[in-house]
Amino acid sequence: MPTVRDLCVIGLGLIGGSLVRAASAAGRQVWGATAAGSDAAAAVADGFDAGTDVRAALRRAADRDALVALAVPLTELDGVLREVRRWAPRCLLTDVTSVKAPVLAAVREIAPEARFAGGHPMAGTTESGWRAGNATLFDGVAWVVGVEEDTELAVWAEVTRLALDVGAQVVPLPAAVHDEAVARISHLPHLFAAVLASVGAQGGPLAMALAAGSYTDGTRVAGTRPELVRAMTEGNREALLPVLDEALGQLGAMRGSLASTGSLTATIAAGHDGAQKFARAREATPTGVRVSLTAPDAREGLRALGERGGRITAITDENTAIGEVS
């Protein structure tokens, strides 16, 4: 059996705090650090090993050969990576940031000796801080673990085991493919939610009094802290701009159709079809797959699985990734 590796989490907000809880519940030795004194104090009060000394946490990680997980906003990443370079330069490193290409570039530039495989759990709420976290946040969710041409598969496997330990299923993807996908299903919805919330509020007290399910469903994520939404959307600018252009093109066509013919048939039908495709994808019966992590083409096999929407559900002692794809 592979040794269960200790975990050091830098950042104790919603995702980092949930990771500390879930990994501890799974039997890992875990400690965390954050510059936010209130989050550190709350974690200690809940019985967890936490503090505000990031350098000490990283030194401990280097001494224990722990896996380091960075759970800080993208805007704070460079500073934390400089600390990693100084105090744990050769550590096994991952992150939980919602964009991957900028993180990969930053790691390669600032902490190039770190053994890195990026990560992104597709989980969250509109709340933030340690108090918002919980040990079951990752149950059943997709957790992307990065597979680049130069990714060490041993590191990828360590990050994957962590994700599996806390209840997630792993989608192996290159950073650029991840960023284009989340631009469509996460970052664009955040922008649309912001627009819907703003337009609705401009209707004044009457509009707010009449607002019901379609408004609350469409605007839910607009309640997320603005600085977090800015970090994820602005950080994914390269992938988000063409997706936003695509959406604006459809809105323009819809507007033109409504003005000229009075019909919204094409737009509404296309949206309904998209929703049905999502429902069918969720209900499809998966097919089992196996990828040997020692095979020469293992990276290609993992990426192909991920790009088809497949998920890794286990890693065997023989270093075979077990997964499924619909």
Side-chain angles (χ1 to χ4, degrees), residues 3-23:
T3 302
V4 178
R5 195 175 295 271
D6 294 350
L7 176 66
C8 170
V9 180
I10 306 300
L12 297 176
L14 168 65
I15 302 298
S18 296
L19 183 56
V20 167
R21 292 174 172 94

Side-chain angles (χ1 to χ4, degrees), residues 153-221:
L153 289 180
V155 179
W156 181 89
E158 287 283 358
V159 177
T160 293
R161 289 190 182 98
L162 172 64
L164 296 174
D165 280 354
V166 300
Q169 298 179 338
V170 168
V171 181
L173 287 175
V177 175
H178 164 276
D179 288 357
E180 198 276 341
V182 297
R184 292 181 178 277
I185 53 82
S186 177
H187 301 166
L188 182 67
H190 270 90
L191 296 184
F192 273 19
V195 172
L196 290 172
S198 175
V199 170
Q202 289 170 20
L206 175 59
M208 295 297 92
L210 296 179
S214 59
Y215 181 76
T216 56
D217 288 351
T219 61
R220 181 185 63 82
V221 296

Side-chain angles (χ1 to χ4, degrees), residues 286-290 322-325:
T287 300
V289 295
R290 300 168 69 91
I322 307 298
E324 56 185 35
V325 63

Side-chain angles (χ1 to χ4, degrees), residues 184 188 192 241-254:
R184 292 181 178 277
L188 182 67
F192 273 19
L241 274 172
V243 173
L244 184 57
D245 286 341
E246 183 180 331
L248 290 174
Q250 293 194 26
L251 286 172
M254 177 181 63

Side-chain angles (χ1 to χ4, degrees), residues 26-207:
R28 292 199 182 227
Q29 182 70 33
V30 185
W31 61 92
T34 175
S38 59
D39 283 338
V44 170
D46 286 343
F48 292 93
D49 186 350
T52 57
D53 193 336
V54 172
R55 294 180 178 182
L58 290 172
R59 287 197 300 266
R60 182 177 172 187
D63 290 342
R64 300 285 295 271
D65 194 24
L67 173 62
V68 176
L70 305 184
V72 299
L74 186 62
T75 52
E76 299 175 18
L77 183 71
D78 287 5
V80 175
L81 284 174
R82 283 189 282 270
E83 298 295 331
V84 169
R85 180 181 63 195
R86 181 171 182 183
W87 302 108
R90 287 283 301 160
C91 69
L92 275 70
L93 183 67
T94 190
D95 74 299
V96 293
T97 314
S98 63
V99 291
K100 300 272 60 78
V103 174
L104 180 63
V107 170
R108 286 175 170 170
E109 178 182 353
I110 299 171
E113 293 185 82
R115 302 170 63 198
F116 178 69
H120 179 204
M122 301 300 297
T125 71
T126 58
E127 304 299 320
S128 58
W130 171 267
R131 294 298 186 195
N134 69 83
T136 62
L137 183 68
F138 310 115
D139 286 357
V141 307
W143 188 310
V144 173
V145 179
V147 185
E148 309 301 327
E149 294 292 340
D150 58 351
T151 299
E152 286 186 58
L153 289 180
V155 179
W156 181 89
E158 287 283 358
V159 177
T160 293
R161 289 190 182 98
L162 172 64
L164 296 174
D165 280 354
V166 300
Q169 298 179 338
V170 168
V171 181
L173 287 175
V177 175
H178 164 276
D179 288 357
E180 198 276 341
V182 297
R184 292 181 178 277
I185 53 82
S186 177
H187 301 166
L188 182 67
H190 270 90
L191 296 184
F192 273 19
V195 172
L196 290 172
S198 175
V199 170
Q202 289 170 20
L206 175 59

